[in-house]
């Protein structure tokens, strides 16, 4: 399974549907070096959505209908991404409330499964909110984080035992930041 936006940062995806939320966050222009914004125009957004829906189906085993992303879907989808970014980064900023259509379906195996509703950005928001609700239930939502490096901020899934990861890649973003902090401590200690 390939989450296109996440793969371009060389990151391993979050499990199940949470990979969709991670991938949505990674559509933004982030990382080192900077990657293009995949929601910049309808063509690139449609390419991302097609790949993300295929990865969703592969990762969750749940088929989802195709979504057509038009120009009118770009601003609401980018707004959702910004609000999710604020939540994941723990910025403390109160993000606006988001609603999406979801239907609960009782399957032949007796399990209740949420199914997204809507078209365009609303269908994608439905998938994101379904994934978040399931991740919160499984207590994996708190492991989705953004890199603490302000030049990067790529979304990653923290697989550390104690959930203490702060960098998407310690070698790329952590070591330079730690070195800067060390040098600053040395300078302030010598004054």
């Amino acid at each position: 399974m390939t989450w296109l936006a996440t793969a371009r940062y060389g990151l391993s995806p979050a499990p199940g549907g949470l990979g969709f939320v991670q991938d949505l966050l990674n559509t933004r222009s982030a990382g080192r070096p900077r990657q293009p914004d995949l929601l910049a125009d309808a063509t690139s957004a449609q390419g991302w959505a097609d790949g993300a829906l295929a990865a969703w189906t592969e990762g969750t085993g749940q088929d989802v209908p195709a979504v057509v992303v038009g120009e009118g879907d770009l601003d609401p989808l980018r707004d959702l991404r910004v609000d999710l970014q604020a939540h994941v980064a723990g910025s403390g900023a109160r993000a606006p409330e988001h609603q999406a259509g979801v239907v609960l379906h009782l399957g032949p195996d007796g399990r209740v499964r949420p199914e997204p509703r809507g078209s365009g950005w609303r269908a994608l928001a439905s998938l994101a909110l379904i994934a978040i609700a399931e991740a919160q239930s499984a207590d994996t939502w708190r492991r989705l984080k953004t890199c603490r490096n302000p030049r990067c901020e790529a979304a990653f899934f923290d697989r550390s035992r104690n959930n203490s990861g702060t960098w998407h890649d310690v070698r790329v973003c952590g070591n330079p930041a730690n070195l800067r902090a060390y040098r600053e401590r040395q300078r302030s200690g010598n004054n």
Side-chain angles (χ1 to χ4, degrees):
M1 155 182 50
T2 301
W3 296 99
L4 301 175
T6 298
R8 65 191 184 149
Y9 297 116
L11 299 169
S12 58
L18 191 55
F20 179 81
V21 178
Q22 178 187 14
D23 211 55
L24 174 59
L25 290 170
N26 284 329
T27 59
R28 56 194 285 277
S29 179
R32 294 183 63 194
R34 279 274 189 239
Q35 298 291 327
D37 187 340
L38 297 179
L39 302 181
D41 59 66
T43 302
S44 62
Q46 185 66 59
W48 168 77
D50 292 343
L53 295 175
W56 172 280
T57 299
E58 187 178 337
T60 65
Q62 300 169 355
D63 287 329
V64 289
V67 173
V68 176
V69 180
E71 288 293 327
D73 295 312
L74 295 177
D75 283 340
L77 195 53
R78 287 189 292 251
D79 289 345
L80 174 64
R81 179 180 65 187
V82 166
D83 295 340
L84 289 175
Q85 174 79 18
H87 280 294
V88 170
S91 68
R94 180 168 154 70
E97 190 175 299
H98 288 277
Q99 298 179 11
V102 175
V103 171
L104 298 177
H105 174 74
L106 180 62
D109 60 357
R111 294 194 56 198
V112 174
R113 289 184 180 83
E115 293 179 356
R117 289 293 182 251
S119 60
W121 77 271
R122 287 180 179 85
L124 298 172
S126 291
L127 283 176
L129 295 179
I130 288 169
I132 291 168
E134 290 174 350
Q136 288 171 342
S137 177
D139 196 31
T140 56
W141 171 242
R142 64 189 175 90
R143 291 188 171 273
L144 187 60
K145 300 178 178 182
T146 56
C147 183
R148 194 174 289 174
N149 183 339
R151 293 186 200 160
C152 175
E153 297 183 321
F156 69 98
F157 188 76
D158 185 359
R159 287 185 166 76
S160 66
R161 184 175 301 187
N162 62 355
N163 195 30
S164 63
T166 56
W167 316 106
H168 89 277
D169 184 329
V170 173
R171 290 171 288 151
V172 174
C173 290
N175 285 348
N178 291 333
L179 184 59
R180 279 192 300 275
Y182 170 78
R183 288 179 179 160
E184 183 60 33
R185 285 192 305 272
Q186 295 297 341
R187 276 193 294 272
S188 64
N190 291 335
N191 290 338

